[in-house]
Amino acid sequence: MLTPNLHYRDLKDSYLFAGIAGRVRAFQETHPGEKILRLGIGDVSLPLCDAVIRALHRAVDDQAVKETFHGYMPECGAPFLRKAVAAHYLERGVNLDEDEVFVSSGASDELGDILDLFSRDSSALVIEPAYPAYVDANLMAGRTILHLPSGEEDGFLPRPSEASRADILYICSPNNPTGSVYDRERLQKWVDFANANGSVILFDAAYEAFIEDPDLPHSIFELEGARTCAIEICSLSKTAGFTGTRLGYTIIPKTLERCGMNLQAMWVRNRTTKTNGVSYIIQRGGEAVFTPEGQAGIRKNIRIYKNNATILMQALDTLGFRYFGGRNAPYIWMKCPCGMDSWTFFDRLLTEDRIVGTPGAGFGACGEGFFRFSMFGSPEDTKEAAERLLKRYSK
Ligand code: MLT
């Protein structure tokens, strides 16, 4: 008899966001017609910008004509998009070969797939609170996971220590869920640590476009030594509204080697085997993101999300609630009021105020007592949520 992957028994019954969606659906069914304000999952609410829409339309038309039609796309990405991403990195001083850029169908897919590069005996360090897919993807593979808790005392930006020695190191900056961002000095410590120990950093840069402080690094490859120890996974989901369209990219330097094996070459081998590339149409849409018009369009949307953050932060300041993030990241990580645990607060907010957020405990044990608000909702909903919070919690 076939034995299924027994490691699935180590997983919780449902994935965090699927579980929350189920609870919210059940509540909505018993309260039809009531307006629920959704500040839970980080899903965008603004449409794709004009430059992207026009490129998508043009690409659809290309598919209608024999001369411009595309069948299978190159597995590692269309040259035009790899070039556009490399040029974008060059603008911030990071020099990449175009074939160090791999086009993906989004960061969440890639964060799971990339683990093919590593032995199942390798260990993974997850700095918590963390995006829950890091832990779940490694549980599915049966890897040993080290949980490194972070907290208010270190601003949710822990430094490496002997206890954080592992083969794979996850770093997400700007961080989901805490909104904290590593500065150069602190991030350099992790790069040096990884090089000293032969570890590989999986750097999740999905929220880099929300950084506004000029001194903060957007890419780990801005740091010295990263080319021998890091892989960067990025996405156009939050940067450019591609959550439904699906597109991302991964940077694997050709200088990244372990045990005499080259990880960039291994990923080429993996992609050519396991994918037939990302849709031509979507990649043309992605290319448009990196044009001046596309950059102006996505900046306009990001400003709207940032304004949502300002509205909510003002309300939390008025209430005297402690929080992190919101400035260089699209998440606000708030301490639950009155010492409530995070699921109790989730239930209260949903049932009393019709607001959905994400309980901190869903991001790891040390997230207990905190709550995450996403800034990707509509300005109207965010404003209304701020007003409902002010009404409920003003003394
Ligand atoms: C989140 O809410 O943490 C993200 O939207 C989930 C994701 O990117 O898959």
Side-chain angles (χ1 to χ4, degrees):
M1 169 145 37
L2 172 140
T3 309
N5 181 345
L6 301 179
H7 298 300
Y8 277 62
R9 295 195 295 213
D10 301 330
L11 296 165
K12 294 201 181 90
D13 281 349
S14 69
Y15 183 59
L16 174 66
F17 295 107
I20 290 174
R23 282 185 187 223
V24 175
R25 229 177 4 256
F27 183 80
Q28 184 83 80
E29 271 162 27
T30 51
H31 298 77
E34 292 211 23
K35 184 169 176 199
I36 298 178
L37 306 173
R38 293 164 198 271
L39 277 59
I41 190 164
D43 194 4
V44 292
S45 56
L46 293 167
L48 296 166
C49 68
D50 290 348
V52 170
I53 291 295
R54 273 200 303 277
L56 291 171
H57 280 297
R58 276 195 305 270
V60 170
D61 290 342
D62 286 349
Q63 294 296 70
V65 178
K66 190 165 172 287
E67 287 70 27
T68 51
F69 169 78
H70 285 77
Y72 287 131
M73 293 300 289
E75 299 88 346
C76 299
F80 59 77
L81 183 52
R82 298 177 93 180
K83 190 170 168 194
V85 173
H88 182 68
Y89 272 73
L90 193 57
E91 276 168 24
R92 59 169 79 114
V94 176
N95 208 333
L96 298 176
D97 274 2
E98 285 161 30
D99 48 8
E100 293 178 324
V101 177
F102 292 85
V103 175
S104 75
S105 54
S108 46
D109 313 32
E110 194 81 339
L111 280 159
D113 294 348
I114 201 85
L115 294 174
D116 274 6
L117 290 178
F118 308 111
S119 137
R120 288 190 178 220
D121 298 333
S122 52
S123 54
L125 176 94
V126 178
I127 298 173
E128 289 181 343
Y131 180 47
Y134 304 159
V135 169
D136 286 1
N138 281 288
L139 281 178
M140 287 175 189
R143 274 199 191 82
T144 302
I145 301 171
L146 280 76
H147 303 262
L148 174 62
S150 67
E152 291 180 79
E153 60 298 342
D154 55 21
F156 295 99
L157 297 168
R159 290 171 188 265
S161 70
E162 271 310 298
S164 34
R165 250 179 207 264
D167 301 312
I168 306 164
L169 311 173
Y170 283 88
I171 299 180
C172 177
S173 179
N175 186 265
N176 177 13
T178 67
S180 306
V181 189
Y182 271 101
D183 62 21
R184 281 169 206 280
E185 184 257 325
R186 281 182 189 229
L187 191 56
Q188 189 68 55
K189 294 255 181 304
W190 280 102
V191 170
D192 296 345
F193 179 78
N195 275 321
N197 293 307
S199 315
V200 170
I201 295 174
L202 290 184
F203 190 74
D204 182 347
Y207 300 98
E208 61 80 18
F210 290 81
I211 293 176
E212 56 187 57
D213 292 354
D215 294 337
L216 294 172
H218 288 245
S219 163
I220 197 161
F221 296 114
E222 291 174 46
L223 299 225
E224 206 173 315
R227 285 187 58 89
T228 50
C229 69
I231 291 175
E232 181 159 298
I233 295 183
C234 206
S235 160
L236 293 186
S237 285
K238 318 299 160 91
T239 304
F242 276 62
T243 52
T245 318
R246 309 305 306 151
L247 192 62
Y249 51 87
T250 297
I251 312 296
I252 309 185
K254 288 182 183 164
T255 38
L256 180 58
E257 295 194 343
R258 292 291 179 269
C259 299
M261 294 178 80
N262 184 292
L263 275 73
Q264 187 271 353
M266 287 167 67
W267 198 235
V268 172
R269 186 68 181 82
N270 180 295
R271 295 293 83 184
T272 47
T273 308
K274 290 198 168 182
T275 82
N276 277 321
V278 175
S279 143
Y280 167 73
I281 297 166
I282 304 302
Q283 292 196 69
R284 280 293 185 201
E287 180 190 26
V289 169
F290 298 100
T291 61
E293 202 196 345
Q295 288 292 301
I298 66 164
R299 286 281 135 215
K300 197 165 148 220
N301 285 359
I302 288 172
R303 269 197 301 278
I304 294 173
Y305 295 134
K306 281 185 163 290
N307 198 44
N308 285 347
T310 305
I311 291 168
L312 200 68
M313 286 192 291
Q314 278 167 355
L316 300 183
D317 287 338
T318 305
L319 292 167
F321 285 2
R322 187 158 166 68
Y323 61 87
F324 293 79
R327 182 170 153 73
N328 292 295
Y331 296 118
I332 291 179
W333 181 246
M334 185 192 91
K335 206 156 189 182
C336 298
C338 319
M340 250 182 276
D341 73 74
S342 59
W343 279 106
T344 304
F345 185 56
F346 171 88
D347 285 332
R348 280 239 186 135
L349 262 194
L350 176 61
T351 55
E352 293 176 354
D353 299 304
R354 315 297 193 242
I355 300 173
V356 182
T358 310
F363 300 99
C366 64
E368 186 51 280
F370 283 85
F371 201 75
R372 192 194 78 174
F373 289 112
S374 153
M375 296 304 107
F376 291 111
S378 71
E380 298 72 29
D381 281 8
T382 309
K383 195 159 165 278
E384 199 171 332
E387 281 161 8
R388 290 185 194 181
L389 285 171
L390 282 169
K391 195 160 162 222
R392 170 81 49 198
Y393 291 101
S394 293
K395 298 223 168 69

